[in-house]
Amino acid sequence: MGRGIHDVAKKIDSAGRPEGRTPDTFVPVLRTVRAGNGFEEALEQILQLLRLGLVPSGERLPAERELAERMGISRVTLREVLKVLQDQGLVESRRGRYGGTFVLPRADGGGEDELRRRVASVDVEDILRFREVLEVGAAGLCAAHGLGEAGAERLRAALAATHDAELTDYRRQDTLLHLTLAELSGSPTLTAQYAAVRATVNDLLDCIPLLVRNLEHSQHQHTALVEAVLDGDADGAREVMREHCGGTAALLRGFLT
């Protein structure tokens, strides 16, 4: 299982900062926007980046040049997007040699009351079903079509990162593992839809505590899932993913009843 998951309980009080990210971290979320809606689509994508927790609180967003090139927009348009995010209290701009745009801490999850407030604005059952369809489909596609050496290595690395994650960074690494699987499915449409639905699921999960027993179970499932995918066992990969999604759904329902 790797060294990290067995030590999760010991890491609860750790204040270690997440390790640095590479630009590939953002590939599933940041895409070239369509002509005519550059501002709106760029804002949507960066909001997803923040809601997915791919850039932790206190960390810096990629450089303006990189973001603009990745989305195919001008630096002027990007700065308008960043100004909106700053006005909303989501990021702040810092000047100087080590300056840039930094993610501000999100408000406290708020527990069950906040969870119920957020649930009131979405159809939870629809979101959970759609997530399952996308995840199960992605797992099956990856296993059936094969990943190649580079893809297999990416998936193994994403799994290892979840094993070694501090508790405070676990949800981000978990999100990255699932996003990696979605991207490796070979369907950009599936990847984009999954990023959107996962952002909504994370908004809900942020309202409930991280439970060590639940994380240990999830890690067993993650390992079985990756093994099935790498073995080319499409039926097995789909079944493990279906069970995994069911666990998340049960957890959320449990806090809502």
Side-chain angles (χ1 to χ4, degrees), residues 13 28 73 80 104 121 146 167 186 203 206 213 216 219-220 257:
D13 296 323
I73 59 176
E80 291 174 348
L104 292 175
S121 65
L167 192 64
D203 273 348
D206 283 345
R213 177 68 178 273
E216 291 174 341
Q219 284 302 96
H220 283 292
T257 56

Side-chain angles (χ1 to χ4, degrees), residues 39-222:
F39 171 80
E40 291 81 4
E41 291 191 20
L43 179 60
E44 177 188 18
Q45 289 186 30
I46 297 181
L47 279 170
Q48 274 190 7
L49 199 70
L50 301 181
R51 292 172 66 203
L52 287 166
L54 298 185
V55 185
S57 172
E59 294 292 309
R60 182 169 51 191
L61 288 175
E64 286 187 4
R65 176 180 56 79
E66 181 185 340
L67 283 174
E69 289 178 355
R70 183 70 60 93
M71 292 185 286
I73 59 176
S74 69
R75 296 276 288 272
V76 172
T77 298
L78 176 62
R79 285 168 183 159
E80 291 174 348
V81 169
L82 296 177
K83 177 64 165 57
V84 170
L85 298 176
Q86 187 168 337
D87 290 344
Q88 294 299 309
L90 299 174
V91 302
E92 70 174 3
S93 178
R94 301 177 191 171
R95 298 185 179 278
R97 181 179 179 183
Y98 300 105
T101 301
F102 290 80
V103 178
L104 292 175
R106 297 183 65 177
D108 183 23
E112 292 184 42
D113 289 343
E114 177 62 15
L115 175 61
R116 294 179 188 281
R117 187 190 70 78
R118 294 184 186 185
V119 162
S121 65
V122 298
D123 185 335
V124 176
E125 291 302 323
D126 179 58
I127 290 295
L128 294 175
R129 289 192 187 100
F130 189 41
R131 180 215 176 180
E132 181 177 327
V133 168
L134 294 173
E135 294 253 40
V136 170
L141 286 170
C142 287
H145 295 168
L147 299 181
E149 185 175 344
E153 182 56 34
R154 282 189 59 195
L155 190 59
R156 290 191 190 98
L159 175 64
T162 64
H163 286 315
D164 296 338
E166 304 289 347
L167 192 64
T168 53
D169 194 38
Y170 180 81
R171 189 157 289 153
R172 182 174 73 94
Q173 296 297 347
D174 175 55
T175 298
L176 283 170
L177 172 61
H178 286 265
L179 280 171
T180 298
L181 193 68
E183 186 189 2
L184 292 173
S185 74
S187 170
T189 301
L190 186 154
T191 304
Q193 291 294 319
Y194 178 68
V197 76
R198 179 68 190 228
T200 300
V201 171
N202 278 9
D203 273 348
L204 302 179
L205 290 175
D206 283 345
C207 297
I208 64 178
L210 286 166
L211 308 175
V212 172
R213 177 68 178 273
N214 169 250
L215 299 189
E216 291 174 341
H217 184 222
S218 291
Q219 284 302 96
H220 283 292
Q221 292 176 330
H222 284 158

